[in-house]
Amino acid sequence: MLGGLPLALEQAAAYMQATGDTLAGYLALFRQRRADLLARGEPVGYGKTVAGTWALAFDRLQQTGPGAVGLLRLLAFCAPEPVPLRLLLQPRPGLAGRLGDQVAPVLAPLLEDPLATRDAIGALRRYSLVTPAADGSVSLHRLVQAVTADQMPAGLARQCRQATAAVIQDAIPGDTDLPGTWPACAALLPHAQTALADDSDGIARIASYLGSSGSYAAARDLQRRVLDARERVLGPEHTGTLNARANLASWTGQAGDRPAARDLFAALLPVEERVLGPEHPRTLNDRHELARMTGLAGDPAAARDLLAELLPVRERVSGPEHPDTLNVRHELARMTGLAGDPAAARDLFAELLPVRERVSGPEHPRTLNDRHHLARWTGEAGDPAGARDLFAGLLPVRGRVSGPEHPHTLIARANLAQWTGEAGDPAAARDLFAGLLPVSEQVLGPEHPGTLNDRANLARWTGEAGDPAAARDLFAGLLPVRERVLGPEHPDTLAARHELARWTGIASGGPSMA
């Protein structure tokens, strides 16, 4: 709470000594009356409080460095984490006009002039009000933030808070699906969550970043806040609210609950058809997502048929090479495979991939997804060595583009391991899964469906590599987890029971069971 600041700790001790208060009592009162307590309790041998000490520095800054004052007020409404000024203080069209009449004269010059920004940072450092952090960021002690905010008149504080939100929102990249934007989003994340309203476009973009970078549950939870706020502020049928509903459904599915995502899209689609129209791009997108989640929730044949109906509409409305049309082709190919025709799925992906590479580029995430599925359905259609080789070529690109611990990279690693085993090298498959599993447990969580799949595959290939007793024991450990997480009748739970019985029999000297 006091951040280990010596003067603040001395002041707290002096106050408690003078009043006879307990530490618990001081903490409770501090949470309610922070500004008042920071002005009380002068330490022995030092005639000033935290508030008084910083007030003197602030008065001198106002006389000699108005830009530093403006910067300090901006930092006061950010999160306590390092503030990436290199991202915030950039010239952006229209931003200066949204800063407020009391804020713009001192803050706008910092947006336009890097030298003015350096001068302001230097002035704050001379008074030990900020400390430098990595990559051009600065840190402001949380108590400096508190005192700075508490000492402003209400009207000025409101303008500074609004200006901070405007600067942060404008700094968040527009397309947070792109991996190149993720470092900036990560640096801005705590400040966006501190300064921006839940119904803002900036928070929606941060939710998109979380999901695109693999934090699906975090994206879902933040998107739920966005939706609640937009329903309250904009109304249930505003286009911004409908977009938030669609994004919540999408991240719910990505976080592993495909039936819930399917039901959310099914409830949303009739509203969009009535409010936006049946051929509006948003409506068509969500027809696509309803079909996709229908397939992933267990009915790929129905999903295939929905996508086959959607494709000619999308081609007519958007054009045959529009990325959204290519996305429908992707899902139609995928669901065709899941519905039982892997050779047709392979051929559809083989036709799609060169178009996607030309339209979107060879390393676009959608292109990589198409490569992934071409590899997968090549294997499912009877060519495991071909699938292994395609995944071996994809994995380093996926790791470079998305990051080595992104869920998509982990899926590519799992597929490479799987098809290595299917191509005739069970010991190598076992070793690849053994290396992957701890990463999956750390990144996805020990009970995520992907992690449980990796555990099952490690057990299987351990047995195939010649150790049926170890495979038996691994499945015995996995089964109760799948029963608890997925339910006793889920197909993956039943598969684990089957494999436990199979390897128990083999380990006892019985025949192998298919």
Side-chain angles (χ1 to χ4, degrees):
M1 185 180 66
L2 297 176
L5 194 71
L7 177 57
L9 295 171
E10 288 277 353
Q11 180 177 330
Y15 179 85
M16 287 185 283
Q17 185 176 24
T19 61
D21 202 357
T22 64
L23 177 59
Y26 182 88
L27 293 175
L29 189 59
F30 187 92
R31 293 187 179 98
Q32 301 172 13
R33 303 281 299 277
R34 179 185 65 196
D36 292 335
L37 283 183
L38 291 175
R40 287 170 166 79
E42 293 180 359
V44 176
Y46 186 76
K48 296 180 177 63
T49 63
V50 168
T53 298
W54 284 329
L56 287 175
F58 195 77
D59 287 343
R60 291 170 184 164
L61 279 174
Q62 284 185 307
Q63 297 170 18
T64 61
V69 171
L71 179 57
L72 185 64
R73 288 170 172 164
L74 173 76
L75 297 173
F77 293 102
C78 293
E81 286 81 359
V83 181
L85 294 180
R86 71 192 187 284
L87 300 176
L88 297 184
L89 300 181
Q90 295 285 337
R92 293 185 174 89
L95 177 57
R98 308 203 311 274
L99 296 181
D101 58 352
Q102 297 183 70
V103 177
V106 293
L107 190 56
L110 304 184
L111 302 174
E112 303 291 338
D113 185 358
L115 184 58
T117 299
R118 291 186 178 91
D119 289 343
I121 295 171
L124 294 178
R125 289 189 63 187
R126 281 195 295 275
Y127 287 98
S128 299
L129 294 173
V130 299
T131 55
D135 299 326
S137 298
V138 299
S139 292
L140 183 69
H141 194 282
R142 66 182 67 239
L143 286 187
V144 181
Q145 288 181 306
V147 170
T148 302
D150 291 340
Q151 290 181 343
M152 285 187 231
L156 177 59
R158 183 172 56 254
Q159 283 198 17
C160 289
R161 185 178 290 107
Q162 292 170 347
T164 302
V167 170
I168 291 171
Q169 176 153 293
D170 280 23
I172 299 170
D175 188 354
T176 55
D177 290 343
L178 300 177
T181 69
W182 295 347
C185 291
L188 293 166
L189 171 64
H191 309 292
Q193 291 185 306
T194 296
L196 300 186
D198 284 347
D199 65 310
S200 66
D201 178 65
I203 284 291
R205 278 181 274 149
I206 287 294
S208 175
Y209 147 70
L210 287 169
S212 297
S213 61
S215 297
Y216 302 131
R220 176 200 61 205
D221 296 344
L222 185 56
Q223 190 64 47
R224 186 175 289 117
R225 286 170 43 191
V226 172
L227 175 58
D228 291 344
R230 288 189 178 180
E231 286 183 329
R232 184 175 64 253
V233 173
L234 302 176
E237 294 192 354
H238 188 279
T239 55
T241 305
L242 299 182
N243 289 344
R245 285 183 64 179
N247 289 331
L248 175 59
S250 178
W251 297 127
T252 297
Q254 293 280 45
D257 193 345
R258 276 63 180 272
R262 175 201 61 205
D263 295 345
L264 288 169
F265 278 117
L268 172 61
L269 191 58
V271 182
E272 289 183 323
E273 290 176 328
R274 174 169 50 81
V275 173
L276 304 175
E279 294 191 354
H280 188 278
R282 179 81 255 179
T283 306
L284 297 181
N285 284 345
D286 292 339
R287 281 185 64 182
H288 175 140
E289 289 300 313
L290 173 59
R292 189 167 75 92
M293 290 302 162
T294 296
L296 295 178
D299 194 347
R304 176 200 60 205
D305 296 343
L306 290 170
L307 291 160
E309 293 173 4
L310 174 60
L311 181 58
V313 182
R314 179 59 92 179
E315 288 178 327
R316 174 169 51 79
V317 171
S318 303
E321 293 195 353
H322 189 280
D324 290 338
T325 304
L326 301 185
N327 292 345
V328 176
R329 289 181 60 183
H330 171 102
E331 286 301 329
L332 177 57
R334 182 186 186 195
M335 293 304 163
T336 297
L338 291 175
D341 195 342
R346 175 201 61 204
D347 295 343
L348 288 169
F349 277 113
E351 294 171 3
L352 171 59
L353 183 58
V355 184
R356 181 84 79 178
E357 289 177 329
R358 185 178 70 252
V359 172
S360 301
E363 294 193 353
H364 189 279
R366 294 287 187 180
T367 306
L368 300 184
N369 284 343
D370 292 341
R371 286 183 62 181
H372 176 108
H373 282 280
L374 175 58
R376 174 190 175 179
W377 295 111
T378 295
E380 297 285 356
D383 186 0
R388 176 201 62 204
D389 296 344
L390 288 170
F391 276 113
L394 171 62
L395 182 58
V397 184
R398 176 65 87 181
R400 183 177 71 252
V401 172
S402 301
E405 295 187 351
H406 189 281
H408 290 164
T409 306
L410 302 185
I411 291 170
R413 286 182 63 180
N415 274 278
L416 174 58
Q418 182 70 18
W419 291 111
T420 296
E422 298 290 352
D425 193 343
R430 174 201 62 205
D431 296 344
L432 288 169
F433 276 114
L436 173 60
L437 182 59
V439 185
S440 296
E441 290 176 329
Q442 176 189 347
V443 174
L444 303 176
E447 296 188 353
H448 186 277
T451 305
L452 298 184
N453 286 342
D454 292 341
R455 285 183 64 180
N457 280 305
L458 174 60
R460 176 197 169 183
W461 293 112
T462 296
E464 300 285 357
D467 193 345
R472 174 201 63 205
D473 296 344
L474 288 169
F475 276 114
L478 173 62
L479 179 58
V481 183
R482 274 196 163 163
E483 288 177 328
R484 184 179 73 254
V485 174
L486 302 176
E489 296 187 0
H490 189 279
D492 289 345
T493 306
L494 299 180
R497 289 180 62 183
H498 171 90
E499 290 295 315
L500 175 58
R502 176 190 177 204
W503 292 109
T504 298
I506 297 172
S508 301
S512 173
M513 294 183 292

